[in-house]
């Protein structure tokens, strides 16, 4: 598997994980996927929690729950941290 394929696979996994959170809250699959795409694109944005919480509030979720759900979605949407020793291990092989 090429590095591009691995990156796509990891992104698809994150996308499906976030979409599942939205679907469990009652969003239709297409809407959940759209919301998940938004979460993934906002993962590095400075106001990401506020923006995603506002998305949840539009679905009649109370503000405190909206913030908690936003944080969950953004944790799932975040890219995996890179292992600083990974490149050294590759060189050793």
């Amino acid at each position: 598997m090429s590095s591009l394929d691995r990156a796509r696979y990891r992104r698809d996994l994150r996308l499906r994980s976030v979409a599942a959170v939205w679907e469990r809250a009652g969003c239709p699959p297409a809407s959940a996927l759209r919301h998940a795409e938004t979460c993934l694109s906002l993962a590095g944005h400075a106001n990401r929690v506020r923006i995603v919480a506002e998305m949840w509030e539009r679905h009649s979720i109370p503000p405190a729950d909206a913030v908690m759900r936003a944080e969950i979605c953004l944790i799932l949407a975040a890219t995996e941290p890179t292992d600083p020793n990974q490149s050294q291990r590759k060189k050793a092989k």
Side-chain angles (χ1 to χ4, degrees), residues 22 47-59 61-63 65-71 74:
W22 286 95
N47 296 321
R48 61 190 171 270
V49 175
R50 180 184 56 78
I51 295 168
V52 176
E54 287 172 358
M55 289 169 46
W56 279 105
E57 288 177 20
R58 279 185 243 132
H59 288 278
I61 302 295
D65 282 346
V67 170
M68 181 187 65
R69 290 173 188 236
E71 290 172 343
L74 291 166

Side-chain angles (χ1 to χ4, degrees), residues 6-88:
R6 264 191 303 273
R8 284 183 185 155
Y9 176 75
R10 280 187 239 131
R11 184 183 185 287
D12 287 348
L13 283 177
R14 291 192 318 267
L15 187 64
R16 280 184 266 156
S17 298
V18 176
V21 174
W22 286 95
E23 284 184 36
R24 279 185 291 242
C27 285
S31 179
L33 193 58
R34 222 176 20 256
H35 289 318
E37 284 281 356
T38 302
C39 290
L40 261 67
S41 67
L42 289 171
H45 194 275
N47 296 321
R48 61 190 171 270
V49 175
R50 180 184 56 78
I51 295 168
V52 176
E54 287 172 358
M55 289 169 46
W56 279 105
E57 288 177 20
R58 279 185 243 132
H59 288 278
S60 302
I61 302 295
D65 282 346
V67 170
M68 181 187 65
R69 290 173 188 236
E71 290 172 343
I72 290 168
C73 287
L74 291 166
I75 288 169
L76 292 172
T79 57
E80 296 174 9
T82 57
D83 182 1
N85 298 323
Q86 185 177 11
S87 61
Q88 291 175 356

